[in-house]
Amino acid sequence: MEHKKKISVAIDGPSGAGKSTLARAAAKELGLLYVDTGAIYRTVTLYVLRRGAEPKDAAAVAALLPEAGITMDYDPSGLQRMYLNGEDVTDQIRSQEVSMAASSAASHPAVRAFLLEMQRDMAKRRSVVMDGRDIGTVVLPEADVKIFLTASSEARARRRWLELQQRGVSGDFDQLLRETRERDENDMNRAAAPLRPAADAITLDTTEINFQESLARLIEIIRERTGL
Ligand code: DC
């Protein structure tokens, strides 16, 4: 059987830079599978919280990993659904509590090792656009294209504020900005697989450009590098 070469696109960057929305839209346009790795870390984190463990406690979190059955699939509309020991937790993992705790839980080497093969496996089987923090540096160092998608912390907090507003939830901008910076701090300064651009990553800064412009640029970069 003929095997077409699998294409992999790695998109890394800080939280709130629009990675998942942009990566999903680009994947759809290019006919690639979108893999949201943050959702996988969030699912582990939800398990840790449910079990009443402290997400910062490396030993406590590591001890729970063998019991956390993490699986995923895609619904007919292409949305990635996450399961925790068989339960669909796709919506639960989006809470602010999980967001904050995930950045602690994801800092433990045991957690990262636990999820590494699962992520690599997906890219072996399918052509993917995978987003996360260490995709270009650790998970898929041989990716065909690596993009570091970023925006200023103010722009990211403002977008989050608007997003909440649209959902009818009133957010406090200063608090959102503090939380954005706190998560950056955690993600960039941890010892295990910190958030940083791969040496061969192309940086796309969306501070001054809107969603459509960002998407057009992202697709252009991927097409240039892959010939898609
Ligand atoms: O992208 P996100 O906000 O859903 O990610 C949730 C947390 O998981 C975030 O704090 C960083 C962490 N994460 C990570 O460390 N490595 C990844 N590849 C993806 C996410």
Side-chain angles (χ1 to χ4, degrees):
M1 201 169 77
E2 189 192 339
H3 286 277
K4 273 213 269 165
K5 185 190 174 300
K6 302 280 185 297
I7 286 172
S8 51
V9 178
I11 303 188
D12 293 301
S15 48
K19 280 194 310 297
S20 53
T21 324
L22 285 166
R24 184 181 304 115
K28 190 164 179 222
E29 172 75 21
L30 298 165
L32 306 172
L33 182 73
Y34 167 60
V35 182
D36 172 358
T37 65
I40 309 177
Y41 283 93
R42 285 169 180 268
T43 305
V44 171
T45 305
L46 180 65
Y47 186 68
V48 169
L49 291 172
R50 282 185 175 179
R51 290 295 306 272
E54 165 54 54
K56 289 196 172 95
D57 184 338
V61 172
L64 291 174
L65 293 175
E67 302 162 20
I70 314 285
T71 48
M72 56 194 271
D73 67 15
Y74 289 84
D75 73 12
S77 69
L79 188 78
Q80 176 179 319
R81 303 211 69 91
M82 295 303 309
Y83 301 88
L84 175 58
N85 294 322
E87 176 192 348
D88 186 337
V89 293
T90 311
D91 297 326
Q92 283 94 312
I93 59 172
R94 295 295 152 193
S95 71
Q96 193 60 8
E97 188 195 5
V98 172
S99 300
M100 294 310 291
S103 108
S104 298
S107 70
H108 307 309
V111 173
R112 310 204 69 82
F114 179 68
L115 300 178
L116 186 61
E117 277 317 304
M118 182 178 180
Q119 298 169 76
R120 285 191 177 152
D121 221 52
M122 305 217 49
K124 252 182 233 152
R125 287 187 281 117
R126 301 278 301 268
S127 286
V128 295
V129 173
M130 192 174 280
D131 93 26
R133 303 295 188 286
D134 62 339
I135 309 304
T137 51
V138 175
V139 180
L140 304 175
E142 309 294 331
D144 300 276
V145 195
K146 298 179 186 175
I147 292 153
F148 194 76
L149 194 75
T150 189
S152 70
S153 48
E154 288 80 6
R156 289 182 282 131
R158 194 174 56 243
R159 287 173 195 165
R160 177 83 184 125
W161 184 84
L162 280 170
E163 196 184 296
L164 288 173
Q165 187 99 340
Q166 276 159 9
R167 282 203 265 134
V169 185
S170 67
D172 173 24
F173 177 79
D174 290 333
Q175 189 189 340
L176 290 170
L177 183 58
R178 269 197 308 278
E179 286 174 359
T180 301
R181 289 183 170 151
E182 193 181 321
R183 291 175 67 193
D184 283 1
E185 181 75 16
N186 282 345
D187 294 349
M188 293 164 81
N189 295 320
R190 67 182 178 217
L195 168 65
R196 63 178 170 79
D200 50 352
I202 299 162
T203 295
L204 177 55
D205 187 327
T206 68
T207 305
E208 305 286 344
I209 54 178
N210 68 25
F211 178 80
Q212 285 310 329
E213 291 164 324
S214 306
L215 180 60
R217 182 71 192 116
L218 180 60
I219 290 173
E220 183 180 61
I221 296 170
I222 299 172
R223 284 198 200 280
E224 271 168 14
R225 301 282 162 134
T226 60
L228 276 171

